[in-house]
């Protein structure tokens, strides 16, 4: 069932499914965070050999989700491409969360406060998929906004300060 309003070629759509101001801001912030992550990775090249595989996995999966976020928030919704990209995004978020439990170097081998967000993603990501699948659009939209705001942007920006790896690479 295609729930998007009809759109002429070249238009981004309108109506209740169109991106609102908050979603446009989330899209821009996600794109900025993605650019910062890529810049940090490139600048950190001399130290790539020191990085654990689980961190590479985490960076790869979160990069997929970050790259898709602005696309998903700004493009037409409800069509087959949106559903396909949404599945990829949900899987990338789940993989990012699962992989994060293997990253414990910053807390003397234990879990840290940030892992609460990882647990939340493990609950929220399937809910996002289910709410879309069952056409609970308001629930889906709210859950996506929460996930992007909390698990991506908030957690993502906190990977740069406090002498953390990406911050060291970006500024190093």
């Amino acid at each position: 069932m295609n729930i998007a309003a009809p759109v002429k070629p070249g238009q981004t759509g309108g109506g209740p499914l169109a991106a609102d101001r908050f979603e446009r801001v989330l899209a821009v912030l996600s794109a900025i965070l993605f650019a910062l992550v890529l810049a940090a990775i490139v600048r950190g090249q001399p130290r790539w050999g020191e990085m654990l595989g689980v961190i590479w996995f985490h960076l790869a999966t979160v990069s997929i989700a970050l790259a898709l976020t602005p696309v998903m928030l700004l493009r037409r919704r409800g069509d087959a491409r949106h559903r396909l990209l949404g599945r990829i995004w949900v899987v990338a978020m789940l993989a990012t969360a699962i992989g994060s439990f293997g990253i414990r170097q910053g807390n003397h081998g234990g879990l840290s406060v940030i892992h609460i967000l990882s647990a939340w993603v493990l609950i929220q990501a399937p809910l996002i998929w289910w709410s879309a699948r069952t056409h609970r659009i308001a629930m889906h939209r709210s859950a996506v906004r929460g996930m992007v705001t909390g698990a991506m942007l908030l957690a993502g920006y906190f990977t740069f300060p406090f002498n953390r790896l990406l911050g060291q690479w970006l500024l190093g």
Side-chain angles (χ1 to χ4, degrees):
M1 177 174 160
N2 188 349
I3 56 174
V7 179
K8 294 178 184 174
Q11 289 183 331
T12 58
L17 296 180
D20 62 14
R21 180 176 299 179
F22 182 59
E23 290 164 346
R24 289 190 299 271
V25 168
L26 290 177
V28 169
L29 292 174
S30 297
I32 291 168
L33 181 58
F34 182 53
L36 289 171
V37 168
L38 291 180
I41 291 170
V42 169
R43 289 184 55 98
Q45 186 177 8
R47 295 183 52 203
W48 284 0
E50 302 168 18
M51 204 159 69
L52 298 174
V54 68
I55 296 174
W56 279 117
F57 176 80
H58 187 73
L59 285 173
T61 57
V62 80
S63 292
I64 291 167
L66 274 172
L68 286 176
T69 297
V71 173
M72 296 296 294
L73 289 173
L74 298 177
R75 73 172 304 282
R76 182 175 181 213
R77 299 168 186 190
D79 61 4
R81 180 169 287 155
H82 181 83
R83 290 189 298 273
L84 173 64
L85 294 175
R87 284 185 204 108
I88 295 167
W89 187 85
V90 165
V91 168
M93 289 299 293
L94 285 169
T96 299
I98 290 166
S100 75
F101 288 106
I103 302 172
R104 299 179 182 201
Q105 292 71 25
N107 201 32
H108 309 291
L111 296 177
S112 66
V113 174
I114 201 78
H115 287 99
I116 294 170
L117 282 176
S118 298
W120 179 70
V121 169
L122 294 178
I123 296 165
Q124 197 69 10
L127 180 64
I128 286 172
W129 175 83
W130 175 82
S131 63
R133 184 84 175 121
T134 57
H135 305 286
R136 289 169 169 82
I137 304 307
M139 176 189 284
H140 176 73
R141 191 174 204 169
S142 175
V144 168
R145 287 172 163 202
M147 178 85 77
V148 171
T149 302
M152 293 187 82
L153 297 177
L154 184 65
Y157 283 109
F158 277 105
T159 62
F160 290 96
F162 313 117
N163 204 28
R164 301 207 41 195
L165 180 73
L166 289 182
Q168 290 175 13
W169 285 7
L170 186 64
L171 301 174

